[in-house]
Amino acid sequence: MVSNPNGADGPAEDTQADEPAREPFVGRSTATERDSNSSEAFSFWVRPNVRVNPFDIVDAEHLEGSSTYGLITNIFHSTDAASHLSNFISNDFGELVDEPNTPRQGTNVAEVSVLSNNGDIYMPVQSEARVAFADEAGIHQALGIDAMLEKQERENRQLRVPAGLVQMSNGVEAVAYLDADYVLGPESAHVNVSGISGLATKTSYMTFLIQSILQTLGSDDIAVVLLNVKFDDLLHIHEPRTLDSNEKNIWKSLGLDPRPFQDDRVHYLLPWGHDSARTEKPNSFGRPPDNYKLYSYPLDYTARMLDLLLHQIPDPSDTLGAVVGEVMQGLGQQPREAAWSRVKGWDDLLNDKPLVVDGQPKGLGSIRPASVGRFLRLMRRVVKTRQSGLFVNRLAASQTTVGTELSELQGGHTYVVDVAKLRPDEQSLVFGDVLRTVYDLFAGESSIEDTDLPSKVIVFVDELNKYAPAHARGVDTPILDQILDVAERGRSFGIVLFSAQQFLSAVHPRVVGNTATNVLGRTDSAELSDSAYRFLANDIRMHLTRLNKGELLLSHPIYRQPVKVRFPVPAYQLGSQQD
């Protein structure tokens, strides 16, 4: 016997003896003359005293004993009143009487977007079909996660990556898995998370997802590079943090161990600063980690990426680009031509031949002295007058370079490159250096021969909009070109971009378009009106404005609709300004 969907007072309906057990029914499908059901959506009225919420997944009885699963996208209250004026009149013309003159009959009606049918029957859900909360197996069927499991068993390899916990209004929980082929390739790749700062917990989610990947897929063949762009957020990821029982339970519900990144497999690269020679400390926020290396940028190392230093300078006639190209070619030749052989450090480049003669800029071939002078002024501002100490004339014994360290990428190891305290142009240089080094290594364009590279490398950067802004459409800059190369072709080499920013609309559309998995935190309504969110239904967009802390909306190629998930807090020590 099951409860009567029409109320507790009426007669109960008998179930068929061979009918599979279901969760208690929450209502019946309803179709009207004006509001019909379709193969894409249906509605159901909700039983009195039953609570449902947007993003709950329901199971509706369907043809041939099959089940149609759907995602609740909105809930309405409907009555038999012809208009709002009727309700006003029935309350004695707005006098707020104790009992209206005309009692109304009403019900809550939920709108549902169809996710799947376990019999591949996509006829509309028929009116009066009973509707229940989906159980864990039903949620996995609805999202296509059961198909991931079948593929995993068929190919005998780990495929499913826990990405959060689906929590229903009736207390049912299910793990939301991602298909690794759509996260790391080859089917597709890349993950982006956006949301309002301080509420979306973007960095925390990305590090959780990376840990989930390392724990489930095996860490020996995956390297991770994290750019720390805010305070000391990621400078203590090897240090354990005390978790309460609820936090531990979420980790365990996901099938994961609540642990920090492995101590002996985390490498910290912190920037050299003006005072580093005296204090022997990095130019970083907060308490530095116990073990780290200091990186800097001497000229001989930076020569191959001078274009990254000036990528934000307007250059409509490409005169500045021509000078940069000549300088990079002159410094990059081995052996160097005589004119460039004396250039050993930044002071030589900015004050001596071949660019400066008798204190005045000198032309380079067909390039006029005025253009060379502009290049010198800009470079002097970046590497001398406004620099944080990152640029040095010679590499000291206590210093290294980002490229040197990342050229030795090892599977299962995590490399944290701190840029939080650097100037914006310096941050762009370091990020571009990371991408260029990794891309050259995996694309086989590096002069370093290493057959032991991991098969995959994940590069995570926050504030992606600074390096690949939406307003740069049709504009070519060295760092944007590098990001687009990674976004569009990186997965074929094993390079995966994990990125974050507050506003998805602020990121270049080619990067967004090539990102397979989008994770959305709380977002304001003005931002949601942008075309970047057109992949979301209108009702789902508005639900994004009231997500709670720790709740995210997960959009993945396997899912027909985004799903709301909760994820655990990090098991490592949080920085002083963790987002």
Side-chain angles (χ1 to χ4, degrees), residues 524-553:
D524 64 61
S525 56
E527 165 69 5
L528 290 170
S529 64
D530 189 87
S531 61
Y533 299 87
R534 61 181 176 269
F535 66 96
L536 297 174
N538 288 334
D539 289 338
I540 290 178
R541 282 188 217 175
M542 297 319 297
H543 295 317
L544 275 173
T545 63
R546 52 178 178 267
L547 289 181
N548 296 320
K549 189 176 181 66
E551 293 180 343
L552 296 168
L553 207 60

Side-chain angles (χ1 to χ4, degrees), residues 16-140:
Q16 298 296 323
D18 57 350
E19 184 180 52
R22 291 174 176 269
E23 290 292 313
F25 295 107
V26 296
R28 284 185 183 268
S29 170
T30 175
T32 69
E33 181 180 358
R34 295 184 178 181
D35 186 13
S36 59
N37 292 341
S38 72
S39 59
E40 297 296 321
F42 66 92
S43 301
F44 72 91
W45 52 255
V46 183
R47 293 178 62 184
N49 302 320
V50 169
R51 183 170 64 90
V52 297
N53 282 295
F55 300 109
D56 281 341
I57 295 175
V58 294
D59 171 353
E61 295 176 326
H62 203 32
L63 303 176
E64 300 178 16
S66 67
S67 291
T68 288
Y69 299 99
L71 181 81
I72 296 178
T73 57
N74 216 336
I75 305 164
F76 296 92
H77 183 72
S78 180
T79 73
D80 61 356
S83 67
H84 297 301
L85 180 61
S86 299
N87 288 329
F88 173 79
I89 294 172
S90 70
N91 277 269
D92 199 12
F93 295 92
E95 292 301 321
L96 296 178
V97 295
D98 291 338
E99 291 294 335
N101 298 329
T102 308
R104 297 297 180 189
Q105 300 300 312
T107 184
N108 294 320
V109 177
E111 291 187 338
V112 180
S113 176
V114 172
L115 296 174
S116 70
N117 178 278
N118 59 9
D120 288 329
I121 300 173
Y122 288 99
M123 291 289 288
V125 172
Q126 303 298 290
S127 187
E128 307 303 333
R130 293 181 296 184
V131 179
F133 281 114
D135 58 14
E136 182 179 9
I139 294 171
H140 285 176

Side-chain angles (χ1 to χ4, degrees), residues 38 72 100 109 118 134 140 160 169 195 305 313 368 405 416 533:
S38 72
I72 296 178
V109 177
N118 59 9
H140 285 176
R160 303 194 307 173
S169 297
M305 60 190 88
I313 305 299
R368 295 182 302 172
E405 299 303 316
V416 181
Y533 299 87

